[in-house]
Amino acid sequence: MKPFFPLALSLLALAAAAAPEMLLEHDFAQINGGKPYDLLLPADRQPFACRVPFAAGQELVIRFPYRDGAELTAISAEALYESAGIVRIQQLDEQGEWRDLATADQFRFRFALPVRTRALRVLFSEITNRDHDTLQFNQFKVEGRGLGPKQENNGLLALSCDAPDNVFDLSPWYRPDRLPEIAAAVTNPDAEPRTFTVRGEFRHYAGGVAETAEPALLRLGPGETGHYRLAMRGKQPGPYIGVVTVSDATGPRARQALIVGLRDPEIAAGNRAPEPFRSPAARRGETVPAWPELLERRGALWASDISHCIGGRRTPDEHYFAKVAADGAELAMAITSYHDFEPLPGVYNFKWADRMVAMAGRNRMGLEFGLWHWDFDGPSQFWLKSELRRGLDGGTSSGWLGIQSLFSEKFTRHAQRAAEVLVQRYRDCPEIQLWSLHPYGVVDHDTTDIYDTNPEALAAFHRMLAQKYGSVTALNRAYGSAYASFDEVPVPESRSDRLLREGRAARAVTVVDRSARWRDWLDFYHARTVWFRDRIARLVRRHDPKRALSGINASGGVGDAHGQLRSLAETGGFYGDQGLNITHYFRRFLAQRRYGLPLRHEDIAPVKVGRGVTAATMTERCNWDVFQAAMLGLRHFNFVFSCWTDNEFYRTVFANGRIRQLIKDAARLEGDFIPAGLHHSFLSDAAVGNYRYRSISVYRWWLMNALYTAMLQNGELFEPFSDAAGIGALTKMKLLIDDGSPVVAPAFAAELERFVRNGGRAVLTARSGEYLEDENTPSYALLRRLGYAGTLTERDPGNAALTFADLRMFTETRQLTVNNYTPLTVPEGGRAVAALPDGRPGAVLWPFGRGEVLLLAGNPGPNDEIALKESVSPDGKAHTNTIWQQAEPKLVREFAPLLRDLTRWGNVTPEYRLSGSCYSAMRSGPNERLLCIFNPGEQAERPVLTLPAAARPATLAGITLISETCLGEYTAEQLRNGVRLPEIPAGRFLAVRLLH
């Protein structure tokens, strides 16, 4: 028995080794640095991806590279992302015909008898849409053996193109055109003579055959090379993929592809507009409505986003448009990657855009159309590779962070022209309802990081310094430096970055960097991002005065946020923010209330099991997103990662006509805000802690989110204020809270002084207004203007608990954690209302004019960002995740009772009261109110709604995801005394409509 085991193992190893190799026929478009790439690849090289997302049917061809094919007993592969309900497999018979072998419900076949064939074709139908992606396969396995010697195809085919950047130009009438041409070298790798058939075709970069060339026969001896020329005959500009296939008697042995472009230089240079596209809606005689009229008519735009699963070569099947249109979609967000629209310099991918517009038009849907930077495998535009943003070390990044520098003349010129060309071609298409043109940045941001040492960025920076200071002597005086010329000045490193490198996390997260050199750099860098966004917006406006510009950005608090918002307001934009599941309320409300921007929603972030949502939390997430969309008054509801197979969100929210109407109705109403304001300075966000263009101080992020979450818990939304934006509205307030913003606009400081003198009440911290916007060193001007003369230089970056002694003023708040604190002194005529742990004043109150000022010793709530930066333990990631998950809820628990006490102190009377702990917000019209409620707790609640000032009777109706019920008619007295609402289960939403 003993020898059996080695023998069995040997036989198993031999069987495994004998498994035949498989070659998969791929069909994908790549820029690939302008170099050729293979389309006939070994099965283990990369997953096979069906090209068309949302398709009803797809296919895969597998070839076996042996002289006589292969004998197979089993074959299988694992599906990725999606799956097929029906999988049909066929073999290629001796006559070259496909013959059915078997059908199954997955790609897993074992044949009753061995199958001899040179190729298999696998047909997929009833494809799911669980993950907004294409059907893909990996882990291919086959049992059987190759028949005859394996064919070696290395070096068999080599494509080349001699045009610069693979681009060929149409020429004026007096010069001949130079049309795309690809040279193919075919070398016989076999030990005996072979006759090869060479076939060539040009495919559109967007997919589909554009031209087929005449095949050629090449009779080649061993090692001999023959040549084939693939030349284009047509003159339609655009990007093309030249594909050459080399076959012998056994079938295809090699297939390569190479991108080429046919350019119209007059269009590329901006001397001529492209030919307008005649869309289905235009042919029907439809017109383009102005976007305010469109919003008035629709209330809210109901949209489905397919941008994440489409691109220059991935065009959705018509089935997608028919499906979502039937289920209520009015708009598809179809934004392609910039590199897929202009893959080669001055060569534009109109074919893809034409198809998208045509499919939308045929299904009577609108489009949000545009360009973005989604170059996950980039930088793909090899001809712009030298234009990338560079970090402090002079290095570039890759993937989606490998973005071009906004200071590159070449990049900005190309990007602007690409955006302009897109608008020129499709501006007469009524299908286009929103433009979204951001050929830079990363997903929801305008750019990445905060440093750029690209040579053009450095040269522009030095020019700016010379213009500002006039002489190096003046600059050295401001910087405390000794540079001999402006060209010696480097891009500075922020103090926070330096402190983090030194391991001083507590100081790094609280430092305020207002040094002259850092301010100069930030002002310079931020001005460019605003200029570029504004420049593209105004290019759109030059050609299209009617449509809105989608403001997908997370610029609130990042960069020159006010500059970005002003640009959106001036050019007819929406304000967008990412993730309805994320509580970005302050930024949304500021854009809406102070800048008059309608809110759109880029991401109703992936609502599918497995993407941040579990089967257990899916229902709650559906309810949460509806609560937020209605409460915010979104004018553009956009379901990202559209998927409908086994998707509760699609069924109960997106395709739910009652919920769609609810959100449209909510958008037509006005949000109710109490006469109290919250000031959070965007100027401070760019100055505090570890600032990046993609992120602000984590603590300040948690702070502004938690304050508004606490307001929702109290049912009392404050008006948002930031710096000088819409500061005139402060006169309508009774109370203003500053969250400890250390840098404020001079106009805000002056207006706040006037507000308090005239009887308003202000809540500030010892960090509030340390700097005015134009100051490099702290003057504490804000507190000095309001009468505080105490020392403010002593500070502790850690956390401390204030204990409140004035129990009449603070009836609910017994303690409050503060951070980055300074012990206070009591101003003349004032008193201490809270103490620090050492007994020194932690909060003081004093009169000023006809008003009062309450000063806290430090910023509100614990600063857990310090612990976040210090997470260096072996389980640091888990520890970091725990900090993130707990930080905002901890702040909310402290802020909710504090805000209730402060609104009472400010004599602010709420519009309504809701018992219990549900989140709520009201929206109102002349004869209608809509109260949006969400239960975030673990137990059901049956709250009581009270309207203290009710003067008219009302009919109440309750709306949930599953029903709408009349709750009865109530007199004004009953409304004043309180109405008990239906039970709201944990994690559920209820809208109460009050009709007067």
Side-chain angles (χ1 to χ4, degrees), residues 302 580 604 624-635 637 663 666-667 923 932:
W302 201 253
L580 257 188
I604 293 170
W624 173 244
D625 282 356
V626 171
F627 164 73
Q628 298 220 92
M631 179 271 295
L632 289 165
L634 291 183
R635 306 309 298 265
F637 182 95
I663 292 172
R923 301 186 66 79
C932 304

Side-chain angles (χ1 to χ4, degrees), residues 645-659:
T645 303
D646 303 327
N647 189 301
E648 184 179 341
F649 185 88
Y650 191 93
R651 294 193 308 273
T652 64
V653 178
F654 185 76
N656 186 334
R658 182 180 58 261
I659 296 302

Side-chain angles (χ1 to χ4, degrees), residues 562 565-566 569 586-597 673-674 676-678 682 708 718-730 732-733 736:
H562 294 298
L565 291 168
R566 281 193 299 270
F586 178 81
R587 303 193 306 184
R588 290 178 175 127
F589 285 140
L590 186 88
Q592 187 185 61
R593 304 289 291 179
R594 303 284 80 84
Y595 286 93
L597 292 170
F673 291 79
I674 62 175
L678 172 69
F682 286 166
Y708 266 90
F718 283 43
E719 288 278 3
F721 291 93
S722 184
D723 307 307
I727 195 65
L730 188 56
K732 300 177 182 178
M733 302 297 108
L736 187 285

Side-chain angles (χ1 to χ4, degrees), residues 36 38 153-161 181-189 196-200 216-221 223-230 242-247 253-258:
D38 292 320
N153 299 321
N154 291 337
L156 174 58
L157 175 62
L159 304 186
S160 61
C161 176
E181 185 175 303
I182 293 174
V186 180
T187 302
N188 181 5
F196 295 102
T197 301
V198 187
R199 291 182 170 85
L217 293 178
L218 296 178
R219 296 176 177 83
L220 303 174
E224 186 179 355
T225 298
H227 299 278
Y228 175 80
R229 176 175 162 272
L230 175 61
V243 178
V244 175
T245 303
V246 178
S247 306
R253 290 186 55 177
R255 179 174 295 144
Q256 280 191 351
L258 178 64

